[in-house]
């Protein structure tokens, strides 16, 4: 910890992997063509290095020795660049839009209902058809409950040894205990006191069949604040078609290492949804599904709904601050065109008398003091090296939280076609294969056990929920689970690769991308320590715990590792039903294709950002040239790319005589802070040397882009064939968002909300609904500027 180094990856690698026992932060080389194994715990997958940076960038970094002693006193900072994989190809902006709280102002909402639950609210009816939630309850169809297994009574009896609560009481499943089998436990949410609706997504409500009247009703606020039973009761005391509520167990694997130590019992039987409780699945019409090929249903989950058996002693709550982040980030990602869980509602527990929780936070002055360019400890380095070292130190410049503060509790209802995680498959594969036998190089699985049956049921269910048309329907009637499992893996590989490449395109860092935060369908979830990149650094992260393995450009590597854990979890079923030879051949081919797909998705993302058709690889060298300049000059990720779009907008590449005024193009890119504060993408003025380098790059990029769109160019050919017929200008606009949720903006929003001013939350929702548009002059001056 006293020193650190940059570990530089190569660009392209073979697609086969072998386990080793290196730490997640240092393993980066390929040993052989053997497929990964995760049978022993803990074990580390050795995955392909650097599917993201170009060779030129790697060479540029590796030519400099970055080893130094404790620069950041009093505590050492560990920084570095390790292997990182690819990201997703550009995904266009969603055509679906939302209005801010149904177009109502904050005062309008208060005038209607004040958003609070009142005892004399008349929204309930003795007739279930008039109940405001009847469109929801009439569509309940809980496939997780009907397709999968509940915890057995024998498991409950065994777990009773770990808790003082009787298994017949609600508290039995609201306290830490092991769960030895079953895909779910029935858990009742713990309702918030004094619940009040803060904001909701009209688009998501519409998809669930709820109109504005239902959303503004007492029943809605009750239901989505955890009082599920009370919300569905009629005035005569009977309950309309009731919801089921449950939490699920899963396993934790971090960068390919399977863990059980995170479980309070040391066995892995106490890990799972600690504060997320599902409150039902709703079947919807095809036109309200996530996309045409998706399963037409949504599962609703309360984040912060109270403790479950997997809470590990915590309170099971979320606070208003984190809930605001979850709500806004979910809807922002949706409108950026990247698949994600959605946010339906945000409900807060109002005080006085409301629920509060103590949470760790930062005291004033907790930011570490960084060395300056003149620091004598940096004397041995050139100015360029000093800038890179300081940039790396900024990535982890803040200590961990050092005080406890009291915050109001809140619940975000997140919604998704499915919440099937890689961690779910990981857990049930561990249980199904714990007594595996070996016959030479072959593994012999006992397929007669309840644990094996539970794994197969989960694989079928994942196929049904995520890829019904390609992985479920063609095989279920024939009971061909081997083929279904193969199709599930192939579809998931593409989905995860596309998602993570989308993160790179828009500058998103998830922060904690373990297998238990990776949805099988390739959908972003769990907006905890997330952030959008401000000043570029390849290891940018908002959370010190992200380490280098979850840093910005390492995220595709993390995604590929999570996919490898999924492959290893499903592989035993393919072996059992297809035979060892066929299974191993499939696995080797799949992992080889996977490395290529993850890489190609990253390449396509950068090509689109620079205006090229995604099939034109001329852009790959341009990114290799540009990335070192980013590290030298302190550049804002979002603003640089948007300003580059402005260059193409002002100087079109089409026409008979495209402009060659590269100096004016550079001036457009750099902008002018003196005309509009923080309008330049550069945090420091460019010196003459840097300006010369950027001018050279602009000339090279511009000439390549013009050539690509001329007759015979790759972009022109692709467009003429009817494939993605966008102009360079429009392609860049839709690849490079103008508006994102910057950390300083979120801090301001939840800071105001803590003092009763929630208008900014609604203002930000309106902003992120249209991330690629120019916006109003007020939006541009307020939100399109450097941090």
């Amino acid at each position: 910890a006293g020193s650190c180094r940059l570990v530089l990856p190569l660009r392209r690698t073979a697609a086969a992997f072998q386990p080793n026992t290196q730490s997640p932060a240092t393993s980066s080389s390929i040993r052989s063509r053997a497929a990964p194994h995760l049978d022993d715990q803990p074990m580390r997958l050795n995955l392909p290095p650097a599917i993201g940076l170009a060779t030129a960038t790697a060479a540029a970094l590796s030519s400099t020795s970055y080893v130094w002693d404790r620069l950041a006193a009093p505590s050492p900072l560990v920084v570095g660049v390790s292997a990182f994989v690819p990201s997703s190809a550009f995904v266009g902006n969603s055509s679906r839009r939302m209005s801010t709280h149904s177009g109502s102002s904050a005062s309008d909402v208060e005038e209607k209902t004040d958003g609070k639950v009142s005892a004399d609210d008349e929204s309930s009816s003795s007739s279930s058809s008039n109940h405001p939630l009847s469109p929801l309850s009439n569509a309940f169809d809980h496939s997780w409950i009907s397709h999968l297994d509940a915890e057995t009574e024998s498991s409950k009896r065994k777990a009773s040894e770990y808790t003082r609560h009787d298994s017949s009481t609600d508290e039995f499943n609201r306290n830490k205990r092991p769960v030895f089998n079953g895909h779910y436990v029935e858990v009742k949410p713990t309702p918030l006191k004094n619940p009040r609706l803060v904001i909701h997504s009209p688009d998501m409500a519409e998809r669930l069949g709820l109109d504005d009247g239902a959303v503004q009703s007492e029943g809605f606020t009750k239901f989505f604040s955890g009082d599920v039973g009370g919300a569905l009761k009629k005035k005569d005391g009977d309950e309309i078609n009731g919801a089921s509520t449950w939490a699920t167990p899963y396993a934790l694997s971090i960068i390919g290492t399977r863990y059980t130590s995170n479980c309070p019992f040391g066995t892995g039987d106490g890990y799972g949804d600690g504060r997320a409780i599902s409150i039902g699945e709703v079947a919807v019409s095809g036109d309200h599904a996530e996309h045409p090929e998706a399963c037409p249903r949504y599962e609703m989950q309360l984040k912060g709904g109270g403790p479950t058996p997997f809470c590990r002693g915590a309170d099971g709550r979320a606070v208003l601050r984190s809930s605001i982040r979850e709500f806004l980030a979910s809807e922002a990602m949706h409108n950026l065109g990247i698949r994600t869980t959605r946010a339906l509602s945000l409900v807060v527990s109002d005080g006085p008398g409301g629920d509060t929780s103590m949470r760790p936070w930062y005291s004033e002055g907790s930011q570490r003091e960084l060395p300056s360019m003149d620091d004598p400890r940096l004397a041995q380095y050139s100015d360029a090296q000093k800038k890179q070292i300081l940039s790396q130190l900024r990535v982890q410049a803040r200590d961990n939280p050092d005080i406890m503060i009291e915050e109001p509790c809140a619940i975000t209802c997140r919604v998704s076609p499915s919440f099937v995680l890689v961690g779910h498959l990981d857990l049930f594969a561990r249980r199904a294969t714990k007594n595996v036998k070996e016959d030479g190089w072959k593994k012999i699985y006992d397929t007669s056990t309840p644990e094996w049956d539970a794994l197969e049921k989960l694989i079928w269910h994942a196929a049904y929920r995520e890829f019904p048309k390609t992985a479920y329907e063609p095989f279920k009637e024939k009971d061909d689970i081997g083929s279904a499992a193969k199709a599930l893996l192939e579809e998931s590989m593409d989905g995860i690769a596309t998602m993570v490449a989308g993160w790179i395109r828009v500058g998103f860092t998830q922060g904690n991308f373990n297998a238990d935060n990776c949805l099988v369908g390739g959908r972003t979830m769990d907006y905890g320590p997330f952030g959008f990149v401000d000043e570029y650094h390849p290891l940018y992260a908002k959370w010190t715990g992200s380490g280098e393995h979850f840093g910005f450009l390492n995220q595709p590597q993390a995604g590929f590792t999570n996919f490898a854990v999924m492959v290893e979890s499903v592989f035993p079923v393919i072996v059992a039903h297809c035979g060892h030879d066929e299974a191993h051949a499939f696995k080797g081919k799949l992992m080889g294709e996977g490395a290529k797909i993850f890489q190609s998705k990253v390449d396509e993302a950068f090509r689109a950002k620079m205006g090229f058709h995604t099939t034109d690889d001329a852009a790959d060298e341009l990114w290799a040239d540009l990335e070192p300049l980013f590290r030298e000059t302190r550049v804002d990720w979002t603003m640089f790319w948007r300003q580059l779009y402005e260059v193409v907008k002002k100087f079109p590449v089409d026409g008979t005589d495209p402009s060659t005024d590269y100096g004016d193009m550079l001036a457009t890119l750099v902008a002018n802070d003196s005309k509009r504060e923080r309008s330049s993408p550069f945090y420091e003025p460019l010196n003459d040397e840097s300006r010369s380098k950027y001018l050279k790059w602009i000339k090279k990029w511009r000439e390549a882009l013009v050539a690509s769109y001329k007759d015979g160019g790759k972009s022109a050919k692709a467009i003429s064939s009817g494939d993605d017929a966008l102009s360079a200008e429009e392609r860049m606009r839709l690849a490079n968002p103008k508006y994102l949720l910057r950390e300083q903006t979120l801090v301001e929003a939840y800071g105001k909300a803590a003092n009763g001013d929630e208008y900014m939350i609604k203002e930000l929702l309106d902003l992120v609904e249209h991330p690629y548009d120019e916006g109003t002059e007020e939006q541009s001056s307020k939100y399109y500027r450097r941090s």
Side-chain angles (χ1 to χ4, degrees):
S3 63
C4 60
R5 62 192 176 93
L6 265 74
V7 182
L8 269 306
L10 298 175
R11 175 179 170 76
R12 305 218 180 247
T13 64
F17 321 97
Q18 182 171 332
N20 63 46
T21 55
Q22 292 176 308
S23 70
T26 59
S27 174
S28 64
S29 62
I30 293 178
R31 299 292 179 86
S32 75
R33 285 197 166 274
H37 300 287
L38 292 174
D39 301 287
D40 300 322
Q41 300 178 28
M43 186 162 282
R44 164 75 184 129
L45 279 178
N46 193 13
L47 294 164
I51 307 180
L53 259 188
T55 306
T57 304
L61 282 171
S62 58
S63 65
T64 306
S65 173
Y66 288 87
V67 181
W68 66 91
D69 291 322
R70 305 164 187 261
L71 284 176
S75 301
L77 295 179
V78 180
V79 297
V81 179
S82 70
F84 55 89
V85 186
S87 124
S88 140
F90 162 62
V91 181
N93 185 26
S94 169
S95 61
R96 297 192 66 88
R97 301 297 187 190
M98 302 178 300
S99 61
T100 318
H101 211 83
S102 304
S104 303
S105 68
S107 58
D108 288 334
V109 174
E110 291 171 2
E111 196 170 305
K112 290 174 186 173
T113 64
D114 196 30
K116 294 184 178 180
V117 176
S118 59
D120 58 351
D121 192 290
E122 296 298 323
S123 60
S124 297
S125 169
S126 59
S127 169
S128 63
S129 62
N130 292 329
H131 193 286
L133 297 184
S134 60
L136 202 65
S137 64
N138 292 339
F140 279 151
D141 181 20
H142 313 308
S143 66
W144 190 276
I145 303 298
S146 59
H147 290 190
L148 300 175
D149 299 330
E151 180 189 17
T152 63
E153 290 301 319
S154 62
S155 171
K156 294 177 184 178
R157 286 194 296 271
K158 187 177 178 181
S160 296
E161 301 173 10
Y162 297 83
T163 177
R164 60 185 176 84
H165 299 284
D166 188 88
S167 62
S168 63
T169 66
D170 292 341
E171 295 307 305
F172 183 67
N173 283 337
R174 286 176 172 167
N175 283 273
K176 175 183 69 176
R177 70 172 180 85
V179 176
F180 298 103
N181 58 34
H183 298 99
Y184 65 92
V185 292
E186 295 180 345
V187 184
K188 289 184 179 180
T190 305
L192 291 176
K193 298 174 184 175
N194 305 333
R196 177 176 59 82
L197 178 65
V198 175
I199 195 169
H200 79 285
S201 164
D203 174 67
M204 197 64 247
E206 180 184 348
R207 289 173 185 253
L208 294 172
L210 298 172
D211 60 21
D212 190 60
V215 170
Q216 299 300 334
S217 70
E218 172 191 6
F220 183 94
T221 303
K222 272 189 173 183
F223 190 81
F224 293 106
S225 65
D227 188 5
V228 173
L232 296 179
K233 280 185 179 178
K234 299 182 292 184
K235 285 192 171 180
D236 59 10
D238 291 337
E239 193 172 294
I240 63 173
N241 187 25
S244 293
T245 58
W246 66 91
T248 63
Y250 43 74
L252 173 65
S253 289
I254 304 176
I255 309 298
T257 300
R258 280 177 160 167
Y259 285 93
T260 57
S261 58
N262 59 295
C263 165
F265 312 103
T267 61
D269 295 312
Y271 195 71
D273 290 328
R275 60 174 180 173
I277 300 176
S278 293
I279 55 172
E281 294 174 39
V282 177
V284 299
S285 60
D287 59 335
H288 280 162
E290 182 187 53
H291 58 85
E293 299 299 310
C295 186
R297 68 174 54 240
Y298 290 104
E299 183 173 336
M300 301 170 294
Q301 200 173 78
L302 301 184
K303 186 170 182 179
T308 76
F310 315 108
C311 65
R312 292 178 284 167
D315 62 8
R317 289 301 195 192
V319 295
L320 180 60
R321 168 178 46 85
S322 62
S323 299
I324 291 171
R325 293 171 62 87
E326 174 95 16
F327 182 94
L328 290 174
S330 301
E331 293 306 285
M333 195 67 76
H334 168 69
N335 287 290
L336 285 165
I338 300 170
R339 293 185 70 198
T340 177
T341 59
R342 300 288 304 278
L344 170 64
S345 60
L346 168 56
V347 179
V348 67
S349 180
D350 260 353
D355 294 305
T356 61
S357 288
M358 300 299 294
R359 291 291 186 263
W361 199 237
Y362 302 92
S363 63
E364 291 295 327
S366 63
Q367 187 82 15
R368 290 180 182 174
E369 184 177 346
L370 297 178
S372 67
M373 289 282 289
D374 299 326
D375 193 295
R377 292 170 294 178
L378 297 176
Q380 62 183 302
Y381 300 104
S382 69
D383 284 349
Q385 291 171 335
K386 290 177 183 178
K387 287 181 178 180
Q388 290 195 31
I389 291 171
L390 294 177
S391 175
Q392 288 175 311
L393 290 174
R394 287 188 199 98
V395 173
Q396 293 181 318
R398 201 172 201 181
D399 286 311
N400 290 321
D402 56 349
I403 59 172
M404 298 294 291
I405 61 172
E406 185 176 13
E407 300 185 69
C409 293
I411 292 177
T412 301
C413 177
R414 58 188 184 190
V415 183
S416 177
S418 159
F419 288 99
V420 182
L421 295 160
V422 172
H424 285 122
L425 292 165
D426 186 11
L427 174 64
F428 287 91
R430 295 188 201 187
R431 290 176 173 175
T433 61
K434 62 184 177 182
N435 294 320
V436 63
K437 297 180 180 179
E438 295 188 359
D439 180 9
W441 64 275
K442 297 180 179 180
K443 294 188 175 182
I444 310 301
Y445 302 103
D446 185 353
T447 62
S448 64
T449 65
E451 291 82 6
W452 186 271
D453 182 59
L455 174 61
E456 290 198 348
K457 282 182 178 179
L458 184 59
I459 290 172
W460 274 123
H461 189 70
Y464 168 75
R465 293 288 292 275
E466 289 293 0
F467 311 109
K469 297 188 186 315
T470 55
Y472 184 79
E473 293 170 9
F475 310 112
K476 181 58 178 174
E477 188 173 340
K478 297 180 289 185
D479 197 27
D480 184 2
I481 192 172
S483 296
K486 291 179 182 179
L488 173 66
L489 291 174
E490 290 169 339
E491 294 284 3
S492 182
M493 174 179 66
D494 186 81
I496 295 172
T498 300
M499 171 190 70
V500 181
W503 294 356
I504 302 303
R505 178 176 63 81
V506 302
F508 175 79
T509 57
Q510 200 270 354
N512 193 28
F513 195 35
N514 303 319
D516 64 325
N517 283 328
C518 183
L519 288 168
V520 166
R523 197 177 291 109
T524 314
M525 74 163 289
D526 202 16
Y527 294 90
F530 79 90
F532 286 93
V533 176
D534 296 317
E535 180 184 344
Y536 170 77
H537 188 283
L539 294 181
Y540 183 99
K542 281 295 180 189
W543 181 43
T544 56
S546 294
E548 64 183 54
H549 45 284
F550 294 140
F552 177 45
L553 287 183
N554 273 348
Q555 291 180 115
Q557 178 72 41
F560 191 83
T561 310
N562 288 338
F563 173 67
V565 172
M566 179 179 172
V567 172
E568 201 62 26
S569 300
V570 174
F571 183 66
V573 172
I574 300 176
V575 170
H577 288 270
C578 301
H580 285 83
D581 292 340
E582 181 180 335
H584 281 279
F586 168 79
K587 185 179 185 180
K589 181 180 178 183
L590 180 74
M591 299 304 283
E593 290 177 349
K596 293 177 182 177
I597 286 176
F598 271 76
Q599 177 65 62
S600 69
K601 297 290 188 181
V602 170
D603 292 342
E604 290 169 7
F606 282 113
R607 292 166 190 171
K609 290 183 78 63
M610 288 182 277
F612 295 86
H613 191 275
T614 55
T615 59
D616 190 347
D617 58 3
D620 300 352
E621 183 180 342
L622 291 165
W623 167 239
D625 293 340
L626 181 62
E627 197 277 340
L629 295 182
F630 277 10
R631 285 182 279 106
E632 290 176 14
T633 52
R634 296 196 64 195
V635 63
D636 187 279
W637 179 263
T638 299
M639 293 190 69
F640 177 90
W641 294 110
R642 190 67 180 195
Q643 287 302 117
L644 194 65
Y645 152 72
E646 291 291 337
V647 173
V648 171
K649 182 180 177 182
K650 186 175 180 179
F651 303 95
V653 301
D654 52 7
T656 57
D657 188 22
S659 173
T660 58
D661 194 343
Y662 305 119
D664 281 355
M665 294 179 195
L666 178 60
T668 299
L669 174 67
V670 174
N672 191 335
D673 279 353
S674 63
K675 290 184 178 180
R676 186 165 69 81
E677 184 183 12
R678 296 188 307 209
S679 62
S680 172
F682 296 98
Y683 284 83
E684 295 172 349
L686 296 179
N687 58 32
D688 290 344
E689 182 183 0
S690 296
R691 292 186 73 89
S692 177
K693 289 180 179 180
Y694 274 106
L695 185 63
K696 181 181 178 180
W697 184 87
I698 283 180
K699 182 176 184 295
K700 184 177 180 179
W701 160 72
R702 175 73 177 186
E703 290 173 349
L705 191 61
V706 169
S708 185
Y709 281 87
K710 277 186 176 179
D711 290 343
K714 288 187 177 180
S715 293
K717 284 182 178 179
I719 291 172
S720 64
S721 68
D723 180 21
D724 191 9
L726 293 174
S727 67
E729 177 185 333
E730 186 66 1
R731 191 180 306 280
M732 291 184 73
R733 185 182 74 83
L734 293 177
N736 299 307
K738 184 174 182 178
Y739 299 111
L740 294 168
L741 292 170
R742 292 183 180 267
E743 189 67 18
Q744 64 182 33
T745 306
L746 285 168
V747 170
E748 183 181 357
Y750 60 67
K752 288 182 176 180
N755 294 315
D757 180 2
E758 296 167 351
Y759 179 75
M760 192 173 177
I761 303 172
K762 301 171 176 63
E763 184 178 87
L764 288 177
L765 178 58
D766 183 61
L767 182 77
V768 300
E769 285 171 352
H770 311 278
Y772 300 99
D773 294 354
E774 288 302 316
T776 65
E777 181 60 34
E778 180 184 2
Q779 287 175 325
S780 187
S781 63
K782 188 173 182 180
Y783 295 115
Y784 183 60
R785 57 180 182 172
R786 296 190 313 273
S787 293

